[in-house]
């Protein structure tokens, strides 16, 4: 049994606390790396039950966070990201069940071959180690990150935003309960027990090599800081400037359904569409219904000259609008001269996150999917499917838009590395 951590008496004790947390997480990671799939799944089963059983306590804690955020003048989009409901807690628990049901990624041999000298070489998946997840307003990230790291044999240090502090603590209690029931170290999922912003800076140092990977989940300011200051690898996306391109060969009713959902289902999530592009060839029949639909749904539309002419309520778009992640019911709209111009616009203004095409032309769809350099590209589907749960991962630890190691929704498999196992029969190298 490890000694209890010292209480925080001020900033002077914070480095000591963070180093102690990281040290215990490192020890827990060594245990988790060798834990059986059955033991990890036992913990996940207990976590799911704890989340469902303690829903009222989680909601009560969240209500306090929401009240405080509203009093502080938080935006509607921020409040939406912060707020938990019974259905969102149910979805959180369902995600845990899905993670439990997926194949354990650890120990899987992804390749095996034999050399001319008779040696057999295997590439096998192994955990990354200790992952630090720094996030802001969405408390469900605590559960998503905790269970994905557990499934993939990694320890995790969670540093939630000050606005979601109570909610994260209530969710973390459920995670710890599951670990305890399965006989796994409670430090496998560690919540930084302070709102002190200096804790983020300490995590970014890697805490003396104890932290292997950092995942930031939040606004552009947080992600920019992490990418600039982190001394360990980072899985991140800076922003979600996502596009829906409506081709001239699109069906109007499908286009309306997809565009409305992509923008208005939850405008504050990273998968929300921020720009609508409409093919000039199809604009006479497609543009006005799409624009009116958005306006009537309460979405502010900022458009180019062609879009402005469709409805007096459309506001003129500025150059900045094409590069803006609104996280609000606002969309920029533009008429483009076909598929090539749409792809060029996305290349110039997109963030390599998620982009969609609506069309019945399979050749156009294939070109879009091949040439748009984003982590997620969709044909005839909403950008709001940019979510690990919707990909069958149960949850996600984030959306990675870089090109190294992981890209797109980061699930359990993406939280692994690999090593080579070599089997010989006494071979020596000449």
């Amino acid at each position: 049994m490890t000694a209890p951590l010292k209480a925080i008496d001020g900033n002077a004790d914070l480095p000591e606390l963070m180093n102690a947390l990281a040290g215990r997480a490192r020890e827990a990671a060594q245990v988790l790396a060798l834990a059986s799939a059955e033991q990890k799944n036992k913990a996940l089963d207990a976590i799911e039950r704890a989340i469902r059983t303690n829903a009222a306590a989680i909601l009560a804690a969240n209500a306090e966070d929401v009240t405080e955020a509203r009093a502080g003048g938080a935006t509607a989009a921020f409040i939406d990201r912060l707020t938990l409901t019974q259905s969102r807690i149910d979805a959180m628990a369902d995600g845990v069940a899905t993670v439990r049901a997926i194949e354990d990624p650890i120990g899987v041999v992804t390749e095996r071959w034999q050399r001319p000298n008779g040696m057999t070489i295997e590439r096998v998946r192994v955990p990354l180690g200790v992952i630090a997840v720094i996030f802001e307003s969405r408390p469900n990230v605590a559960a998503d990150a905790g269970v994905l790291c557990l499934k993939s044999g990694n320890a995790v240090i969670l540093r939630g935003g000050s606005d979601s502090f109570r909610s994260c603590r209530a969710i973390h209690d459920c995670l710890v309960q599951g670990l305890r029931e399965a006989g796994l170290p409670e430090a496998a999922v560690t919540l930084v027990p302070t709102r002190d912003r200096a804790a983020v800076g300490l995590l970014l140092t890697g805490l003396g090599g104890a932290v292997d990977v950092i995942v930031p989940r939040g606004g552009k300011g947080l992600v920019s800081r992490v990418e600039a200051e982190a001394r360990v690898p980072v899985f991140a996306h800076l922003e979600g400037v996502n596009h829906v391109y409506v081709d001239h060969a699109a069906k109007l009713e499908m286009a309306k359904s997809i565009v409305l959902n992509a923008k208005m289902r939850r405008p504050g999530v990273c998968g929300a569409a921020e720009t609508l592009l409409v093919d000039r060839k199809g604009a006479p029949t497609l543009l006005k219904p799409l624009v009116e639909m958005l306006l009537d749904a309460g979405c502010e539309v900022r458009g180019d000259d062609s879009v402005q002419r469709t409805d007096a309520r459309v506001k003129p778009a500025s150059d900045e609008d094409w590069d803006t992640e609104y996280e609000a019911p606002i969309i920029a709209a533009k008429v483009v001269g076909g598929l090539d111009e749409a792809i060029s616009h996305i290349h110039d203004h997109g963030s390599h996150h998620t982009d969609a095409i609506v069309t019945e032309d399979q050749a156009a769809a294939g070109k879009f999917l091949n040439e748009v350099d984003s982590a997620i590209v969709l044909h005839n589907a909403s950008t709001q499917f940019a979510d690990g749960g919707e990909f069958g991962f149960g949850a996600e630890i984030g959306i990675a838009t870089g090109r190294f190691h992981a890209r797109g929704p980061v699930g359990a498999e993406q939280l692994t590395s690999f090593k080579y196992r070599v089997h010989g029969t006494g071979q020596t190298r000449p």
Side-chain angles (χ1 to χ4, degrees):
M1 179 74 70
T2 56
L5 292 170
K6 291 183 178 180
I8 303 170
D9 296 320
N11 290 344
D13 290 336
L14 188 59
E16 180 183 356
L17 172 84
M18 295 301 293
N19 279 299
L21 291 176
R24 294 179 188 189
R26 173 60 61 186
E27 293 173 3
Q30 294 170 354
V31 175
L32 277 184
L34 302 177
S36 68
E38 291 74 20
Q39 190 175 20
K40 289 185 287 185
N41 285 342
K42 182 178 180 181
L44 291 167
D45 181 67
I47 289 169
E48 179 197 351
R49 283 188 280 103
I51 289 173
R52 296 191 192 280
T53 301
N54 294 285
I58 296 171
L59 288 171
N62 182 249
E64 292 185 45
D65 285 337
V66 171
T67 298
E68 186 174 86
R70 282 205 175 100
T75 65
F78 185 94
I79 294 296
D80 176 65
R81 292 192 297 273
L82 175 62
T83 300
L84 292 174
T85 62
Q86 183 61 54
S87 63
R88 290 182 182 180
I89 291 177
D90 290 341
M92 192 188 308
D94 291 343
V96 178
T98 302
V99 171
R100 184 181 64 245
I102 65 176
E103 181 184 3
D104 192 317
I106 301 305
V108 173
V109 176
T110 59
E111 293 183 66
R112 178 186 290 112
W113 64 96
Q114 190 170 57
R115 298 293 295 147
N117 64 4
M119 288 194 313
T120 299
I121 302 175
E122 299 172 331
R123 179 185 290 173
V124 60
R125 289 201 192 110
V126 296
L128 292 171
V130 176
I131 300 172
V133 182
I134 304 169
F135 57 102
E136 292 181 325
S137 57
R138 295 179 66 178
N140 65 290
V141 173
D144 292 352
V147 300
L148 286 170
C149 287
L150 171 58
K151 183 75 177 188
S152 54
N154 297 287
V156 62
I157 300 173
L158 303 169
R159 203 293 181 180
S162 59
D163 300 283
S164 59
F165 187 74
R166 301 176 187 86
S167 306
C168 291
R169 192 164 53 191
I171 293 169
H172 180 250
D173 287 344
C174 299
L175 298 170
V176 169
Q177 181 176 328
L179 291 166
R180 190 182 299 127
E181 286 190 30
L184 290 170
E186 295 178 16
V189 182
T190 295
L191 179 68
V192 176
T194 174
R195 298 188 185 197
D196 193 328
R197 292 177 181 270
V200 173
L202 290 167
L203 282 173
L204 297 182
T205 69
L207 294 171
V211 175
D212 297 290
V213 178
I214 294 176
V215 181
R217 287 284 302 270
K220 189 172 182 178
L222 170 65
V223 179
S224 296
R225 180 191 176 189
V226 171
E227 291 187 324
E229 298 181 18
R231 298 181 190 173
V232 295
V234 175
F235 294 167
H237 74 268
L238 194 61
E239 55 193 340
V241 182
N242 307 320
H243 301 74
V244 177
Y245 167 60
V246 180
D247 185 57
H248 71 272
K251 291 181 178 178
L252 176 59
E253 290 308 310
M254 180 186 291
K256 288 172 68 176
S257 175
I258 289 172
V259 170
L260 185 64
N261 184 267
K263 177 70 259 185
M264 297 298 286
R265 173 186 167 270
R266 290 188 69 184
V269 300
C270 67
E274 307 294 3
T275 300
L276 169 65
L277 303 174
V278 179
D279 185 356
R280 181 172 291 113
K281 187 175 178 181
T285 56
L286 296 169
L287 182 60
K288 186 177 178 63
L290 289 170
V291 172
E292 289 181 343
M293 172 198 67
L294 287 165
L295 291 165
D296 292 344
C299 181
E300 179 181 318
V301 178
R302 301 177 184 178
D304 64 3
D305 291 342
S306 296
V307 177
Q308 290 177 62
R309 286 195 293 269
T310 64
D311 195 294
R313 294 173 290 175
V314 176
K315 298 180 179 180
S318 66
D319 290 341
E320 290 75 21
D321 282 312
W322 311 120
D323 302 301
T324 299
E325 182 182 25
Y326 299 109
E327 297 183 330
I330 304 170
I331 196 167
K334 181 179 184 179
V335 174
V336 294
L339 180 58
D340 286 335
E341 188 175 332
I343 294 172
S344 178
H345 179 97
I346 293 170
H347 178 268
D348 292 342
H349 300 282
S351 58
H352 306 288
H353 192 293
T354 301
D355 298 290
I357 181 173
V358 185
T359 186
E360 297 302 302
D361 184 335
Q362 295 301 316
K367 181 179 175 69
F368 185 94
L369 297 177
N370 287 335
E371 296 186 16
V372 172
D373 183 26
S374 295
I376 304 169
V377 285
L378 306 102
H379 172 213
N380 287 348
S382 168
T383 60
Q384 297 253 348
F385 283 105
D387 179 276
E390 296 299 325
F391 275 51
F393 299 166
E396 69 182 35
I397 203 169
I399 303 285
T401 55
R403 291 175 175 80
F404 292 102
H405 186 78
R407 200 174 194 207
V410 179
E413 181 180 322
Q414 290 73 32
L415 293 175
T416 64
S417 183
F418 58 86
K419 67 180 179 183
Y420 292 99
R421 295 192 302 217
V422 182
H423 303 274
T425 54
Q427 288 88 341
T428 60
R429 184 170 178 176

